[in-house]
Amino acid sequence: MRWNATLWFVRAPLLAVLVTSVVPENAFSQLGQPGPFSAARRWGTQIVFSPDLKTVAVAKGDVGLVALWDADTGKLRRTLGGNGGPVTSLAFSRDGDVVVTACREAYQTKLEVKPNRLTAGVIKVWDARTGELKYSLKAHDDIVSAVAFAPDGTLVTSGQSSFVSLSVPDEGQAGNVRLIGRVRQSYGEVKFWDIEKRKEIRSVQWYRAAVGSIAFSPDGKTLAVRKQEFGSEIKLLDAQTGKTKRTLKLEAEGNAREAINAFVFSPDSRTLAIALNDFNMPRTGRVHMRMSLLASKIELWDVQKGKRRSVLNGDMRGARSLAFSPDGSALLVWTGANSLNMINVQTGALRRIENPEWLPQVVAFSPDSRIMAAGRQDNIVTLSDTRTGEIKQRLVGGNEEVTMAADKFLVSVEGILTIAFSPDGKTMASAGNDKTIKLWDALAASTKQRLTGHAGAVLSVAISPDGNTLASGSSDKAVKLWDAKTGELEQTLTGHIAQVNCVVFSPDGATLASASDDETILLWNVRTGEVKFEINEIEAPVKSVAFSPDGRTLASAGDETVSLWDANTAELRRVLRGHTAPIRSVAFSPDGTTLASASGDATVRLWNVETGELKLSLAKHRGPVNSVAFAPSGKILASGSDDKTINIWDAETGKLQRSLKGHEIAVYSVSFSPTGGLLASGSGSNGLIFWDAHTGELKQIVSRLTVTQRNR
């Protein structure tokens, strides 16, 4: 089963609110907030406008970054990069001074306290002008579905929480309880927050409900909440007290089941427009296995009476995003194609505006409905006039390059995700979300070659021990082998059915290991390109793998554990347990006696490879740790984190020697040069930094000085 990332938007006064969702691949339209049936979540691009329409915020799905763009000039203002997981929703405050993002991450209230064993739905409050993170709050136990600001400045979040029941009353004898084991029970909830005082004001809960999208009426009196996934209903709450005023129950005909795609209040707050899809699907069993779209429609409901006024049908198959015109006479409807429909609310007459350049995956409307932001597959967001369809501005994402005039470095704005040095230290490879691999002259600090061929982000690169071959793994599910000297593509290895997160050569260079989200590790014969072994006894996506220096052991991680495998037989030797959040990186010490693991629980752990015992736990980072690397001497360990820092540790004592600060957003990759004198770190807006590994002195930085936009 594969899952597509989709999303929708709800229009609120002075605010555009949207919620991502997860739907089965064969569905024709979005279904709202992820519900109980979604086994895994993938979050797509999200777009919101600031109240003054001068800034457009774009969240890059699973990357966990939010880019703030100038809507008039199309220039990138700043990047918010401290989210410890996928951004599930975001919103501007009414005055535009604050941006709130929601994500799912390991959460800790104090630095000296260990993170929760499970991730939580966290909201982060940012200064929209400086990009500074003000503070974080745990909002919901499981996930934050949506965030929105009320006209009075109150922040409202919707989401899911759960609790574990260990016992039930014993009916046979009063006052006793009977143990029944661990039973997880969930509920949907809406919470009201005072963000100045950083505290919850009130909450509303519904047992075993999937609560998703929310929207305030323009007069600020009513809050609409989408309660159910299918057999849907919308709760209309009093925005001041949180009490239910009315419940709108939406019923499909026959055996069909109804799903809410989007809803929006009219400018006078009297009407709620709801975009609905009818699916033929069983009411029991695995609902996502067999479902197809029967019909789409828009229902207009009287907010005061709680009754349906009318139904707008027509060519709206898969209606996904809605907005009222400023005078309330028409609805703007996007259906997933490169066209915008304008429907007269009274007559149902439809006018269509088409523009082949839109090619959107996602659409958001500005608060005044005069601008449509369309996020395209090529990571470009176009801003168009909803009355004419004319594109006013292009916000270039993954295709943008940043040039530093002093040394001509070229790096992707979206960040460097992976770095690798050649054995002689003269060449360095870097790659990221722009789908390209850059080969650098590490001594002259200049680019030598750009390798293109992947159809998705390049998540890992490695150079063979003899320096002749470069391997790359990508979100396009492919592993590629390149001639490291000429840059020519030698082989494309296909076998994974999900993105490839990590590639690593064995010490003799004869074997390449690749780890994937498909929960497998493949060991390839580098010369023939054939699979030697497949390790599939794993029940989680594999994020990192590493060979021991003698080549006999392979370490892998993806969940909270590290697995040690016999590299020659693929047999499992040992499992190391202790982390409380998924592990993102593993590395062996040069002598092979110690293994380092970096985790989303904000710690680095050092393990005895022979016994499996925990030697040290390093807990000075303030966010998830993404990468870890030993210096060639084995005495120093470097770790890069979402807290924007690189920590340098004494690998023997665990003492923090220094913390290197220079990145503006999360650090995704760290790597020592073979001599141990240079440390490279990869991040986002100032994507590549070279440090003196001994002193911590910043030697070279790539900064955003001039921006060149290129449309492809």
Side-chain angles (χ1 to χ4, degrees):
M1 183 59 147
R2 296 192 300 269
W3 300 87
N4 287 335
T6 57
L7 53 156
W8 24 96
F9 310 79
V10 180
R11 179 175 169 268
L14 302 178
L15 165 80
V17 181
L18 64 103
V19 180
T20 59
S21 70
V22 179
V23 297
E25 190 174 24
N26 62 343
F28 289 92
S29 184
Q30 294 90 341
L31 309 179
Q33 169 58 30
F37 68 83
S38 56
R41 295 179 173 96
R42 295 291 183 267
W43 301 96
T45 299
Q46 305 172 68
I47 308 169
V48 296
F49 286 83
S50 64
D52 60 8
L53 307 185
K54 293 182 179 180
T55 304
V56 179
V58 181
K60 290 293 184 180
D62 280 347
V63 179
L65 302 179
V66 177
L68 302 182
W69 298 83
D70 188 303
D72 295 324
T73 65
K75 292 183 178 180
L76 182 64
R77 287 180 171 175
R78 62 190 54 86
T79 302
L80 312 180
N83 296 288
V87 177
T88 58
S89 186
L90 67 162
F92 279 95
S93 61
R94 189 179 183 185
D95 57 13
D97 291 340
V98 169
V99 176
V100 173
T101 61
C103 63
R104 194 178 189 190
E105 64 177 31
Y107 183 75
Q108 51 185 338
T109 56
K110 298 179 180 179
L111 293 180
E112 64 270 18
V113 178
K114 292 183 178 180
N116 294 342
R117 293 191 63 82
L118 298 176
T119 56
V122 176
I123 54 174
K124 295 177 181 287
V125 180
W126 308 80
D127 187 307
R129 290 176 171 79
T130 66
E132 177 188 1
L133 176 62
K134 293 185 172 183
Y135 60 88
S136 300
L137 289 174
K138 176 184 175 182
H140 301 277
D141 289 344
D142 293 337
I143 198 165
V144 182
S145 304
V147 293
F149 277 95
D152 65 0
T154 300
L155 177 71
V156 177
T157 65
S158 66
Q160 273 73 247
S161 289
S162 62
F163 63 95
V164 176
S165 176
L166 298 177
S167 61
V168 296
D170 189 341
E171 298 179 358
Q173 191 171 359
N176 289 344
V177 295
R178 175 167 47 91
L179 295 179
I180 61 171
R182 297 174 62 88
V183 178
R184 181 170 293 277
Q185 303 181 62
S186 63
Y187 50 87
E189 55 190 358
V190 172
K191 292 186 177 182
F192 297 75
W193 303 84
D194 184 326
I195 63 169
E196 293 296 329
K197 296 181 179 180
R198 308 186 186 186
K199 69 175 185 178
E200 178 185 330
I201 302 172
R202 68 183 68 89
S203 66
V204 182
Q205 297 178 345
W206 295 279
Y207 179 59
R208 298 185 69 178
V211 176
S213 313
I214 56 178
F216 281 99
S217 59
D219 62 11
K221 296 180 180 179
T222 305
L223 175 67
V225 180
R226 198 224 66 195
K227 182 183 171 186
Q228 296 293 345
E229 189 96 38
F230 292 102
S232 303
E233 61 184 45
I234 291 179
K235 292 283 187 180
L236 299 182
L237 309 183
D238 185 297
Q240 297 298 319
T241 65
K243 294 183 178 180
T244 300
K245 297 163 67 175
R246 288 164 197 86
T247 299
L248 311 183
K249 294 188 177 182
L250 310 166
E251 298 294 338
E253 297 180 1
N255 293 324
R257 303 191 73 181
E258 206 143 57
I260 299 173
N261 267 13
F263 51 89
V264 61
F265 283 96
S266 61
D268 61 8
S269 302
R270 297 179 180 178
T271 303
L272 185 71
I274 308 172
L276 298 164
N277 284 334
D278 288 348
F279 290 86
N280 67 337
M281 57 193 306
R283 293 183 178 272
T284 59
R286 300 181 68 183
V287 297
H288 60 270
M289 294 303 294
R290 296 179 180 178
M291 56 184 297
S292 60
L293 180 64
L294 295 176
S296 295
K297 59 187 175 182
I298 296 173
E299 295 185 353
L300 302 179
W301 288 72
D302 187 308
V303 174
Q304 294 299 321
K305 298 179 180 179
K307 295 183 178 180
R308 185 172 58 191
R309 285 178 176 170
S310 60
V311 179
L312 303 178
N313 293 305
D315 187 13
M316 294 180 295
R317 189 168 180 82
R320 301 185 180 189
S321 189
L322 292 177
F324 271 98
S325 61
D327 61 4
S329 64
L331 271 170
L332 309 180
V333 184
W334 176 63
T335 63
N338 56 356
S339 62
L340 174 66
N341 297 326
M342 304 188 71
I343 304 173
N344 187 295
V345 173
Q346 298 298 325
T347 66
L350 183 146
R351 180 169 72 92
R352 178 176 287 120
I353 300 174
E354 296 185 353
N355 189 329
E357 289 191 61
W358 283 337
L359 299 173
Q361 289 182 309
V362 59
V363 159
F365 294 103
S366 63
D368 64 359
S369 304
R370 298 186 183 276
I371 304 174
M372 182 182 79
R376 305 187 341 190
Q377 291 183 345
D378 55 8
N379 285 327
I380 295 176
V381 176
T382 61
L383 305 182
S384 306
D385 190 310
T386 57
R387 292 160 293 183
T388 65
E390 178 187 0
I391 294 178
K392 298 292 187 180
Q393 193 57 261
R394 289 179 175 86
L395 313 179
V396 183
N399 291 331
E400 182 179 27
E401 290 187 343
V402 178
T403 304
M404 182 177 181
D407 53 20
K408 306 301 182 184
F409 279 5
L410 297 177
V411 293
S412 164
V413 168
E414 293 196 31
I416 293 177
L417 304 179
T418 177
I419 299 171
F421 278 94
S422 62
D424 61 8
K426 296 180 179 179
T427 300
M428 189 190 74
S430 68
N433 286 311
D434 63 359
K435 308 176 187 178
T436 65
I437 302 163
K438 298 180 181 67
L439 295 181
W440 305 72
D441 184 321
L443 302 179
S446 60
T447 52
K448 299 194 299 183
Q449 294 183 74
R450 290 164 54 91
L451 313 183
T452 60
H454 278 294
V458 181
L459 306 179
S460 181
V461 291
I463 298 178
S464 62
D466 61 7
N468 294 327
T469 305
L470 182 144
S472 58
S474 168
S475 62
D476 64 9
K477 310 173 189 177
V479 175
K480 292 183 181 291
L481 300 180
W482 314 76
D483 187 309
K485 307 296 184 183
T486 66
E488 294 183 2
L489 178 62
E490 295 181 335
Q491 294 186 74
T492 297
L493 311 181
T494 57
H496 287 293
I497 60 174
Q499 70 177 29
V500 180
N501 298 310
C502 186
V503 291
V504 60
F505 283 97
S506 60
D508 62 5
T511 303
L512 180 77
S514 59
S516 170
D517 268 4
D518 64 11
E519 303 182 358
T520 68
I521 301 168
L522 297 182
L523 299 179
W524 307 84
N525 183 310
V526 174
R527 184 178 59 82
T528 65
E530 297 178 349
V531 176
K532 299 169 61 176
F533 294 109
E534 176 180 348
I535 300 175
N536 53 21
E537 303 170 19
I538 307 170
E539 297 182 355
V542 188
K543 298 300 182 182
S544 182
V545 288
F547 277 101
S548 61
D550 61 9
R552 296 178 181 179
T553 304
L554 182 72
S556 70
D559 57 9
E560 295 85 357
T561 64
V562 179
S563 297
L564 300 181
W565 309 85
D566 187 307
N568 296 315
T569 65
E571 294 181 358
L572 180 63
R573 288 179 173 175
R574 181 174 288 109
V575 177
L576 312 180
R577 307 179 189 276
H579 280 292
T580 59
I583 298 167
R584 303 184 177 188
S585 178
V586 291
F588 279 96
S589 61
D591 62 8
T593 61
T594 303
L595 180 81
S597 58
S599 168
D601 63 12
T603 70
V604 175
R605 293 176 183 250
L606 300 181
W607 309 85
N608 184 307
V609 175
E610 184 66 27
T611 65
E613 294 180 353
L614 177 65
K615 298 170 64 176
L616 294 168
S617 181
L618 316 180
K620 294 293 185 180
H621 277 296
R622 295 170 179 258
V625 187
N626 299 313
S627 182
V628 65
F630 280 96
S633 65
K635 297 180 179 180
I636 297 174
L637 182 75
S639 58
S641 167
D642 274 8
D643 64 10
K644 311 176 188 178
T645 67
I646 300 105
N647 282 349
I648 305 298
W649 312 84
D650 185 310
E652 296 179 354
T653 66
K655 182 180 179 181
L656 179 63
Q657 294 185 342
R658 62 184 63 89
S659 185
L660 310 182
K661 299 179 180 179
H663 286 290
E664 296 175 0
I665 64 173
V667 180
Y668 302 128
S669 183
V670 292
S671 181
F672 284 96
S673 64
T675 62
L678 193 66
L679 174 68
S681 58
S683 180
S685 50
N686 53 348
L688 185 62
I689 296 182
F690 295 97
W691 312 82
D692 187 303
H694 301 297
T695 66
E697 178 188 359
L698 194 155
K699 299 178 69 69
Q700 190 81 20
I701 183 171
V702 178
S703 300
R704 182 184 295 107
L705 297 183
T706 60
V707 178
T708 303
Q709 296 184 1
R710 300 191 305 169
N711 298 327
R712 296 177 181 174

